[in-house]
Amino acid sequence: MTTRTTQTVVRFSSAFLLPGFDAPQPAGEYRVDQDEESIDSLSRLAWRRVAAFIHLPAIAMQVPTQQMVPINPADLDAALEKDHELS
């Protein structure tokens, strides 16, 4: 089975909190990696998301260490939608 990782950047206009986080994260842009595996099909190539990770802290923050935290993509989508409604 073929796998791939896609990287995107998400933007939060205000602080946000995802399940499993100890504290809210500040507004800013964050890198998100999504691991996907191919789904074999006779008619076309399709991909299924198998994992997602957010890089902390925000891109603009200059710190010596960073971490990559596993997240539920649905939780991220909900937080981004909530942020969009508030802005």
Side-chain angles (χ1 to χ4, degrees), residues 1 4 35-39 46-51:
M1 189 164 286
R4 70 178 183 185
D35 293 343
E36 301 168 311
E37 62 185 17
S38 64
I39 300 171
W47 296 90
R48 174 180 53 218
R49 183 171 40 206
V50 294

Side-chain angles (χ1 to χ4, degrees), residues 16-23 54 69-79:
F16 68 99
L17 182 64
L18 293 175
F21 283 21
D22 293 333
I54 191 167
V69 180
I71 57 171
N72 180 329
D75 293 336
L76 177 63
D77 292 342

Side-chain angles (χ1 to χ4, degrees), residues 39-87:
I39 300 171
D40 293 329
S41 172
L42 295 176
S43 61
R44 63 184 175 139
L45 180 63
W47 296 90
R48 174 180 53 218
R49 183 171 40 206
V50 294
F53 304 89
I54 191 167
H55 294 256
L56 301 176
I59 293 171
M61 298 183 77
Q62 300 297 322
V63 295
T65 60
Q66 294 186 359
Q67 60 181 333
M68 195 168 81
V69 180
I71 57 171
N72 180 329
D75 293 336
L76 177 63
D77 292 342
L80 287 166
E81 185 174 323
K82 180 180 177 182
D83 184 70
H84 181 67
E85 291 171 358
L86 295 175
S87 59

